[in-house]
Amino acid sequence: MSQTIFERIISGELKANVVHDDETSFAFHDANPQAPTHILVIPKKPIPRIGEAQPDDQELLGHLMIKVGEIARKEGLAEDGYRVVINNGRNAGESVPHLHIHILGGRPMSWPPG
Ligand code: DGP
């Protein structure tokens, strides 16, 4: 299967504004930001979407969620708050088939989402 855009960002083939890089996870600013701060946290392992994660991925998923909190704190979002979003599939508007966790912050947000 051909590589997704996010695999090409992880490998360095495509440029991104990277905010985090470790053995199993990676994070960078979204190219089409929906808030003053909009960061994507992804696993290096190409899990297509959260609904296809497997029991073996439990530790990795926990790691990603811990990174979400760390990155949000580092980016100065913790005090005012931020939103964490995972779009899964067509109805949710998923556009890249590589699991990604959106961190959105820097402005108040409405609920329910559109
Ligand atoms: P989603 O709709 O949940 O699949 O979000 C995919 C996000 O990925 C979307 O907000 C825009 C972002 N994105 C797509 N292509 C690129 C890219 O080449 N670079 C960066 N930094 N972000 C991208």
Side-chain angles (χ1 to χ4, degrees):
M1 218 174 85
S2 63
Q3 287 197 323
T4 65
I5 290 169
F6 291 171
E7 284 173 278
R8 295 169 67 198
I9 288 175
I10 292 168
S11 73
E13 181 193 339
L14 296 180
K15 294 278 162 271
N17 183 354
V18 177
V19 297
H20 174 76
D21 184 3
D22 69 29
E23 206 176 310
T24 59
S25 69
F26 198 80
F28 51 96
H29 285 272
D30 195 292
N32 183 23
Q34 302 302 312
T37 301
H38 186 170
I39 290 169
L40 302 173
V41 183
I42 67 174
K44 289 189 172 174
K45 177 180 176 182
I47 300 168
R49 56 193 57 81
I50 191 67
E52 288 173 48
Q54 300 298 315
D56 275 358
D57 297 318
Q58 183 166 323
E59 189 177 333
L60 173 59
L61 297 180
H63 178 75
L64 293 173
M65 297 312 285
I66 296 297
K67 290 300 153 195
V68 163
E70 287 179 6
I71 292 165
R73 281 194 291 280
K74 200 170 131 204
E75 295 290 327
L77 302 176
E79 188 175 337
D80 286 342
Y82 53 93
R83 185 163 289 172
V84 179
V85 173
I86 300 176
N87 294 322
N88 188 102
R90 193 174 41 230
N91 271 2
E94 176 204 302
S95 61
V96 181
H98 182 122
L99 175 61
H100 45 285
I101 304 169
H102 297 259
I103 302 174
L104 296 141
R107 65 167 172 84
M109 283 169 217
S110 58
W111 191 263

